[in-house]
Structure formats: C-alpha cells, structure tokens
Amino acid sequence: MNIDEILENVRKAFKLTTKHFGNTVTFERALFLGWYCDLKHPCKFCYMSTQKDKIKDPKKARRKLESILAEAILMKRIGWKLEFISGGYGYSPKEINDIAEMVAYVQKCKQYLNVGVVDLNSINLDVIEGVVGSIETVSKDRDWICPGKPLDKIKDNLLKAKELELKTGITIILGLGEKEEDIDKLLNLIEELDLDRITFYSLNPQKGTIFENKPSVTTIEYMNWVSNVRLNFPKIKIITGVWVDKIPMISPLILSGSNVITKFPLFSVFGTKKAHWIEKEILSTGRELIGTFTDIEVLKGEKVLEKTPYIEEEINISKENIRKVEELKDKIDEKINSYISKVLKKVVQ
C-alpha cells in the first residue's frame, strides 16, 4: 500500500461525500430475526455456523414477533434506520413477507431485505425499498469461505430486483483474506450490478471458526477500500460497520467516504460511555449526527428528535397482518419497556 496515495484518496473521498450526501452521518442497524442458519454448508467465519449443531429445534432460535416489532419501533424513535431485515436462512417466503409487512407498517416506511435469494414474486413489493446480497468477500477463496451462497444466484437475484425497480446493495466483510488488488474486483462488481449501496464490515473473529485466531482488517486497509469505492462511485451509499472494540476506526472511515455507521449492539451500549465516545468520534469529523446513541429522553419517548432520517410513507399491508400487529400491541409495549429498562441499568447518569 502507498500510504501517501491512500491519504490523498481519503481527502478526495471526504469532499465527494460532502458534495453528494451533505454534512450528515446517520446510524443504521440490521434487524435480526433469529440465530439459526439452515444452510447445509454455512459460511466459515459466521457465529451461526458454531451454533448450528447445538440448536436442536431451529424454531426456538427465532425471535418472537413482538420483540422484532418493538425493536423496529424503538429504532425509529431514536433515529436509526433499519439497515435491512436479516438473520440466517430458513424462513419461508410467506414468513419473510409477513414480517416485512409488519415492520414496514409499524415504522411507516419501506424496508430492505437481506435474507438470501429472495422469491420476489412472493413478496409485497409495495413495502420493500431494496434487496441486499451477502457477497461477503471478493477474494479468490470466496466459494470455499461461503459455500452455501453461490455468487451467480445472488447476482441474478439482485439484477431481478433492479428490473422490478428496487434498490440493491451488497455486504462485504474485510479480513477474510482479501488482497489490495481485489479492490478492482469489487469495483467491477458494483458497476456490473449497478448497486445503490454497499455495507462494509470488519471481521470479528468468532471462537470455533477457522478465523478465530486471525487478525481483522487494519484501519488503513479499511480506509483504502472505502475511499476507492467512494472515488469510483460518488453517489453510492456507503455503510461501514465496526465493533465496540474498534471505536477509533469510526472517524477515519467517515473521512474515507462512509456516510452511515452500523453494527453496534443497541440496548447494551445505548447511553453508556462507549455510546458517548462513538458520538464524539462522529462529531470530531465535522459532520452532523442525525439520530442519537445517548439521549435517554428520546429513547423513553419523552422527547422527539428534532431531525430524523425517516420519511414516512403510505404502507399498505394485508388485513391479516394489521390484525396481528393490533393483537400484539400489549406484548410489544411490554417488550419496549423491557428494552428501555435494560438500557437504564447501564446508562451513564
């Protein structure tokens, strides 16, 4: 790597991001449905692959609907957009459709799906903004690392989504053995698929996987990938995920072209010293933060955000799913209060 070249690219990328996205940064978070993956050959880096043989009844590894909807409501309240609805494989098209409808209904906005190759003919596309494909890596070992996610099928699904006028995106995890020269492969893939967004994550090595003792991506390497994407695709939405043990990565990634930060555990960190540190990292770049990681009054619903990334839309779903949401109202409220109570036990007073 040529450090001078990377730093110059970062400088240019920051200006390009400002030009096309303004001076704001937002939070996003994936909405997970469960902890079981039914792929016969799961990804070799994934936590779910270490749990597969331990889960005797996969349906017990699914979140309850009231928990999913409560989290969706709270995320809108604090100004965190849903990155996408996700969480393992094994859901029927009808189950995916029903969950997407209900989440869109309580948030009053369309959703992204990242649930494998989607049967788009079985989904109410009126509640779907886009589809995300879990590419994960463009390294030469991709088929070995992700044997259950054939690249051609993912690409075909994303191209089909484009034909249906949906937005599309992919996820990329850095730290899976990619080389600097693989950046060109990623750039070619973005162009081929005409993507609207890309989510980068840094590998969080999981115990029990082959990557358990492998180092993750360095900050400079991460900056290099992000800035290259921004320079080549100025208008693409770039979402970057870091773990709570890598908070200092945030400001360099924003400088490199990221305009959304993701991946943080929400209720175990909200309002804590780490949450204040995360906000400080974002603000240190001169960007304005939309949404909050620290305002307890907003979380509790005692105050409304002055600015939010949410734009409410007319959402039309089945009468059956409206009825389900209404029947779950008390349980959803109980779960909301439970999540808030969890935060209050950890919050900085």
Side-chain angles (χ1 to χ4, degrees), residues 9 45 47 51 59 62 92 127 133 237 250 272 307 310 338:
N9 284 346
F45 59 82
Y47 170 76
Q51 302 301 301
K59 288 195 174 181
R62 295 183 174 191
S92 69
V127 304
K237 179 178 180 180
I250 295 173
T272 64
K307 294 183 180 180
Y310 281 88
S338 174

Side-chain angles (χ1 to χ4, degrees), residues 23-254:
N23 198 43
T24 61
V25 171
T26 58
F27 288 119
E28 291 191 5
R29 173 176 162 82
L31 184 66
F32 282 96
L33 306 182
W35 303 272
Y36 181 78
C37 176
D38 76 339
L39 290 178
K40 185 176 181 180
H41 302 291
C43 299
K44 290 180 169 60
F45 59 82
C46 185
Y47 170 76
M48 290 186 191
S49 71
T50 69
Q51 302 301 301
K52 192 174 179 67
D53 294 335
K54 300 176 184 179
I55 298 173
K56 304 304 179 184
D57 184 354
K59 288 195 174 181
K60 290 184 178 179
R62 295 183 174 191
R63 293 178 67 185
K64 292 182 178 179
L65 187 54
E66 58 263 31
S67 173
I68 293 170
L69 297 178
E71 183 176 336
I73 290 168
L74 284 174
M75 287 182 64
K76 183 176 182 182
R77 186 181 290 180
I78 63 175
W80 289 38
K81 288 281 283 182
L82 289 182
E83 185 182 347
F84 41 63
I85 296 172
S86 186
Y89 290 66
Y91 291 84
S92 69
K94 185 181 187 310
E95 288 174 321
I96 293 297
N97 180 76
D98 288 347
I99 292 171
E101 280 200 348
M102 287 184 270
V103 171
Y105 181 74
V106 300
Q107 284 207 329
K108 293 185 174 60
C109 71
K110 296 180 180 181
Q111 304 296 320
Y112 271 86
L113 293 178
N114 182 5
V115 288
V117 175
V118 185
D119 181 3
L120 295 170
N121 295 320
S122 301
I123 302 292
N124 175 7
L125 299 184
D126 289 339
V127 304
I128 303 301
E129 182 176 357
V131 175
V132 175
S134 295
I135 300 294
E136 314 299 33
T137 182
V138 290
S139 78
K140 63 180 178 60
D141 296 321
R142 186 197 179 275
D143 291 344
W144 175 73
I145 295 172
C146 305
K149 298 178 180 177
L151 182 58
D152 287 345
K153 289 186 177 180
I154 295 175
K155 289 165 65 173
D156 287 346
N157 197 228
L158 292 174
L159 290 171
K160 175 64 175 177
K162 272 291 184 183
E163 290 176 4
L164 295 171
E165 299 184 347
L166 298 175
K167 294 180 180 179
T168 56
I170 60 172
T171 60
I172 293 290
I173 300 171
L174 298 176
L176 295 177
E178 67 282 341
K179 306 294 184 183
E180 186 175 18
E181 52 265 31
D182 290 329
I183 293 176
D184 286 337
K185 292 182 186 177
L186 177 61
L187 299 177
N188 291 336
L189 184 64
I190 294 171
E191 183 174 17
E192 176 187 356
L193 299 175
D194 188 24
L195 298 175
D196 299 283
R197 57 189 272 182
I198 180 171
T199 299
F200 285 105
Y201 301 118
S202 61
L203 175 68
N204 184 28
Q206 296 294 321
K207 185 177 181 180
T209 69
I210 61 170
F211 292 95
E212 177 179 348
N213 297 311
K214 299 289 186 181
S216 188
V217 64
T218 67
T219 302
I220 289 293
E221 288 170 327
Y222 205 157
M223 294 168 69
N224 193 24
W225 282 75
V226 172
S227 60
N228 266 279
V229 170
R230 174 59 71 216
L231 291 179
N232 284 274
F233 301 95
K235 296 181 180 180
I236 196 170
K237 179 178 180 180
I238 300 180
I239 305 165
T240 50
V242 299
W243 295 89
V244 289
D245 62 343
K246 296 181 175 66
I247 293 174
M249 271 190 173
I250 295 173
S251 51
L253 292 176
I254 292 172

